[in-house]
């Protein structure tokens, strides 16, 4: 009997986000998004800084014109805004079935609270979707990928304020109605769990201005849950056959040893992730969170009907991004230094001696991805989509225009093999979009030199370069993977 492989019609593709690739940050009526305020720091300058967070005071200085001449790479991206036709043609040449991208909310509603949408912004995405359709590529659209309209951050402190739900729904209604014949797959919030770690990035919240930090984060999360549930309902009402998913940034956490205390710490760390899927997929807050809030003196304001609304409007599928796993140990309790480059986000992380790392210190763990898929399938029994996975690396463009990225091929191959194993284990996985299919600006460090793509873009961290696109060795490799529906992964 032939071994079970990827199901027929499996959605192979790649992923991007508007704020990291479009550029054209102030063109055709677009307003500022939070990402436009994020500066690039050299390695030296970035020591000890949380680079995805911009304090309110700094933004006020930027807006007052006191920080001219600094480097804001997300404003220029890779100029996808003007080059989308060439880029989509390259994705089509690889055989893409699906292209994950986001709509930049501030292109549609420049301030977020405008009465009318910006027609030029709407037209741009019409053009992109039409271009995809030319090649039979399905777009998969993230509604909010780290790009809250800046005005909403400044005027109401982003998702901390319940009014965000209405503004978000106004935007969702506009894009669902406009693109209902063109986009079937949607995601509400990219890596919604990042609100716990990066509230400015994930929801335009200036946490330094809030009295009770943890309470403010959970309040904002509750508002995003409601926004997501109501957007799901709206999409179901407006678009026939629509599929709306949640999206989680998973860093599955292992116990470092068989010490039960380490196991307990890992369970706690994993709950920080699965908590989000519990609410978005089962429609229920897990009971332990209410106990935790009580212990920490947190009161999350909820209105009558909120919990019913979450229960009635759960997602159609579950998606996640996957880069690495972490390990925790009671040895590291109280030590906030992280594990040599891995973010610790308040949990006692230690390095995993069994895993190699990328240039940026991410622990490479293909089996970790299989574990997560199985865990999600066992817990929720909803179709699973892998929305991001990949290896950021320093690629070298050779004089002959080639990029030999065998390390990337090895990384992706190993992960795809484990995804296949998870399917053999019984999980329902229906698609895979590797991250940054074309090189784009890094979300975490704003570097151009942290590259994930099959397509090299000639630009450096300072924005110098021709922006010319080159096919890396991984381009032809992925083309074969897609053509063989994941059967030909190379040696
Ligand atoms: C995810 C984000 O966290 O990881 C992407 O959804 C991001 O936006 C990706 O680019 C890789 O992270 P980084 O920091 O290497 O760009």
């Amino acid at each position: 009997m032939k071994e079970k492989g990827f199901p027929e019609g499996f959605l192979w593709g790649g992923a991007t986000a508007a704020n990291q690739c479009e550029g054209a940050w102030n063109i055709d009526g677009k307003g500022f998004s939070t990402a436009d305020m994020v500066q690039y720091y050299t390695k030296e300058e970035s020591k000890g800084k949380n680079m995805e967070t911009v304090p309110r005071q700094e933004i006020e200085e930027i807006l007052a014109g006191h920080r001219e001449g600094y480097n804001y790479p997300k404003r220029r991206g890779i100029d996808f805004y003007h080059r989308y036709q060439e880029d989509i043609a390259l994705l089509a040449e690889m055989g893409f079935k699906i292209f994950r991208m986001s709509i930049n909310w501030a292109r549609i509603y420049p301030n977020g609270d405008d009465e009318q949408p910006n027609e030029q912004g709407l037209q741009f995405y019409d053009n992109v979707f039409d271009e995809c359709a030319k090649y039979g590529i399905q777009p998969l659209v993230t509604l909010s990928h780290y790009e809250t309209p800046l005005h909403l951050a400044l005027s109401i402190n982003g998702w901390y304020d319940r009014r965000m739900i209405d503004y978000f729904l106004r935007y969702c209604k506009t894009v669902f109605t406009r693109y209902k014949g063109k986009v079937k797959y949607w995601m509400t919030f990219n890596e919604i769990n990042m609100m716990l770690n990066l509230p400015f990035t994930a929801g335009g919240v200036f946490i330094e201005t809030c009295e009770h930090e943890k309470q403010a984060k959970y309040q904002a999360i509750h508002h995003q849950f409601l926004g997501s549930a109501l957007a799901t309902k709206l999409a179901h009402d407006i678009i026939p056959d629509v599929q709306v998913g949640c999206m989680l940034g998973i860093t599955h956490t292992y116990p470092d040893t068989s010490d039960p205390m380490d196991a307990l710490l890992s369970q706690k760390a994993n709950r920080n992730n699965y908590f989000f899927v519990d609410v978005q997929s089962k429609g229920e807050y897990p009971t332990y969170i209410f106990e935790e809030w009580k212990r920490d003196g947190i009161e999350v304001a909820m209105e009558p009907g909120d919990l019913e609304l979450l229960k009635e409007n759960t997602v159609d599928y579950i998606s996640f991004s996957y880069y690495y796993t972490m390990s925790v140990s009671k040895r590291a309790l109280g030590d906030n230094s992280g594990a040599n480059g891995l973010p610790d986000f308040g949990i006692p992380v230690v390095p995993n001696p069994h895993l190699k790392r990328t240039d940026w210190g991410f622990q490479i763990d293909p089996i970790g991805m299989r574990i997560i898929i199985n865990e999600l399938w066992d817990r929720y029994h909803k179709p699973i989509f892998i929305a991001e996975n990949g290896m950021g690396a320093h690629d070298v463009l050779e004089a002959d225009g080639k990029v030999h990225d065998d390390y990337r091929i090895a990384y992706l191959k190993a992960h795809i093999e484990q995804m296949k194993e998870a399917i053999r284990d019984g999980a329902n996985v229906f698609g895979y979009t590797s991250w940054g299919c074309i090189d784009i600006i890094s979300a975490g460090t704003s570097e151009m030199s942290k590259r994930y793509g099959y397509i090299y873009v000639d630009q450096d961290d300072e924005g110098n370069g021709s922006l010319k696109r080159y096919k890396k060795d991984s381009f032809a490799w992925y083309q074969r993977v897609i053509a063989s529906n994941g059967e030909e992964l190379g040696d």
Side-chain angles (χ1 to χ4, degrees):
M1 198 173 84
K2 196 172 165 278
E3 282 201 312
K4 192 172 172 191
F6 289 96
E8 213 178 300
F10 189 81
L11 294 169
W12 295 98
T16 58
N19 73 89
Q20 294 171 252
C21 73
E22 282 177 3
W25 64 289
N26 57 358
I27 301 254
D28 292 342
K30 179 180 164 292
F32 282 121
S33 87
T34 47
D36 299 325
M37 300 292 131
V38 181
Q39 201 182 310
Y40 165 75
Y41 293 100
T42 60
K43 241 193 168 109
E44 262 322 290
E45 291 167 329
S46 65
K47 286 211 173 100
K49 262 192 200 318
N50 178 346
M51 287 166 299
E52 287 161 289
T53 286
V54 190
R56 187 179 174 112
Q57 192 199 336
E58 197 170 310
I59 291 179
E60 279 162 7
E61 285 171 26
I62 296 171
L63 296 176
H66 300 324
R67 292 177 70 91
E68 297 291 327
Y70 286 84
N71 182 357
Y72 301 98
K74 288 174 189 157
R75 295 184 183 183
R76 59 176 179 267
I78 55 160
D79 198 28
F80 178 80
Y81 192 76
H82 296 109
R83 294 163 193 254
Y84 67 91
Q85 287 170 309
E86 177 190 350
D87 292 344
I88 292 169
L90 285 164
L91 305 181
E93 196 181 325
M94 271 187 281
F96 272 36
K97 313 282 181 221
I98 195 157
F99 173 43
R100 175 174 175 235
M101 51 177 279
S102 67
I103 294 182
N104 199 327
W105 183 352
R107 224 178 257 298
I108 308 299
Y109 285 96
N111 298 298
D113 59 0
D114 318 71
E115 288 300 325
Q116 295 303 324
N118 170 31
E119 176 53 35
Q120 285 170 296
L122 287 167
Q123 188 56 53
F124 169 67
Y125 294 106
D126 260 323
N127 298 345
V128 171
F129 300 145
D130 291 346
E131 202 61 25
C132 288
K134 247 168 70 178
Y135 302 101
I137 300 176
Q138 295 254 18
L140 187 169
V141 174
T142 316
L143 288 155
S144 182
H145 190 132
Y146 296 168
E147 44 214 3
T148 307
L150 183 68
H151 171 71
L152 294 179
L154 290 168
S155 59
I156 59 173
N157 210 8
W159 281 94
Y160 179 57
D161 192 298
R162 196 173 167 111
R163 280 171 290 179
M164 278 299 274
I165 300 171
D166 290 337
Y167 297 133
F168 181 63
L169 291 176
R170 184 184 298 176
Y171 154 64
C172 289
K173 188 169 182 196
T174 301
V175 296
F176 290 158
T177 310
R178 175 86 170 213
Y179 307 125
K180 68 175 172 202
K182 300 185 180 182
V183 183
K184 171 179 170 182
Y185 294 100
W186 298 83
M187 271 172 205
T188 51
F189 294 94
N190 180 65
E191 299 189 333
I192 189 164
N193 52 321
M194 282 303 133
M195 182 61 91
L196 273 181
N197 308 318
L198 305 166
F200 173 75
T201 304
V205 178
F206 297 108
I207 207 70
E208 75 277 12
T209 65
C210 301
E211 216 173 284
H212 189 321
E213 182 176 325
K214 198 166 169 189
Q215 171 160 308
K217 287 177 178 172
Y218 277 108
Q219 189 63 64
I221 289 166
H222 181 64
H223 294 151
Q224 286 200 338
F225 282 152
L226 293 170
S228 178
L230 285 163
T232 305
K233 180 176 183 339
L234 200 60
H236 287 159
D237 290 347
I238 297 175
I239 312 176
D241 290 339
V242 75
Q243 291 287 305
V244 186
C246 57
M247 201 291 205
L248 191 75
I250 292 201
T251 48
H252 190 81
T253 304
Y254 302 131
D256 182 47
T257 69
S258 52
D259 183 327
M261 191 58 195
D262 285 357
L264 192 67
L265 288 167
S266 82
Q267 181 182 60
K268 190 165 165 22
N270 288 322
R271 276 179 163 181
N272 277 351
N273 288 324
Y274 295 117
F275 154 77
F276 290 85
V277 193
D278 284 349
V279 180
Q280 295 190 283
S281 180
K282 289 192 200 163
E284 281 169 17
Y285 274 98
T287 48
Y288 62 77
I289 204 76
F290 296 125
E291 298 305 319
E292 186 178 323
W293 290 348
K294 247 190 261 162
R295 272 196 305 275
D296 292 345
I298 290 178
E299 277 180 41
V300 174
M302 296 191 189
E303 291 188 0
D306 280 3
L307 295 179
E308 291 74 12
L309 203 147
L310 295 176
K311 185 76 194 167
E312 282 156 20
N313 299 287
T314 57
V315 289
D316 302 310
Y317 68 94
I318 294 165
S319 78
F320 68 93
S321 62
Y322 177 69
Y323 295 92
Y324 53 80
T325 49
M326 301 209 278
S327 305
V328 280
S329 163
K330 66 177 187 189
R331 280 184 288 127
L333 276 171
D335 168 9
N336 293 326
S337 57
N340 309 331
L342 285 180
D344 82 344
F345 292 142
I347 55 173
V349 184
V350 291
N352 186 330
H354 306 285
L355 302 176
K356 294 208 174 86
R357 291 169 174 246
T358 68
D359 292 350
W360 275 263
F362 289 10
Q363 296 180 151
I364 303 173
D365 182 7
I367 292 177
M369 188 159 100
R370 177 175 175 186
I371 293 172
I372 293 169
I373 296 171
N374 286 340
E375 183 75 27
L376 288 171
W377 177 248
D378 291 352
R379 289 174 72 111
Y380 307 108
H381 263 272
K382 287 206 178 170
I384 295 171
F385 188 94
I386 291 147
E388 292 181 26
N389 171 231
M391 180 186 197
H394 287 111
D395 294 335
V396 179
L397 179 66
E398 307 286 350
D400 60 359
K402 300 231 157 83
V403 178
H404 303 301
D405 56 343
D406 47 316
Y407 38 88
R408 177 168 296 106
I409 294 174
Y411 177 102
L412 293 168
K413 172 178 184 277
H415 284 77
I416 292 173
E417 276 167 357
Q418 290 303 319
M419 173 166 57
K420 196 167 171 180
E421 289 304 325
I423 292 171
R424 288 189 184 143
D425 291 339
N428 174 359
V429 184
F430 70 101
Y432 173 85
T433 47
S434 61
W435 177 248
C437 42
I438 177 167
D439 293 347
I440 57 181
I441 307 292
S442 155
T445 63
S446 290
E447 286 165 292
M448 185 65 213
S449 47
K450 190 178 189 188
R451 298 171 183 275
Y452 287 85
Y454 306 107
I455 301 160
Y456 184 95
V457 176
D458 178 28
Q459 178 176 225
D460 68 14
D461 290 336
E462 307 296 332
N464 307 306
S466 64
L467 289 175
K468 205 171 156 217
R469 278 61 168 152
Y470 297 85
K471 296 174 196 170
K472 302 181 194 175
D473 288 353
S474 54
F475 185 100
W477 172 81
Y478 198 44
Q479 196 174 42
R480 277 197 304 280
V481 172
I482 299 178
S484 64
N485 197 25
E487 290 304 317
E488 281 177 36
L489 295 173
D491 305 326

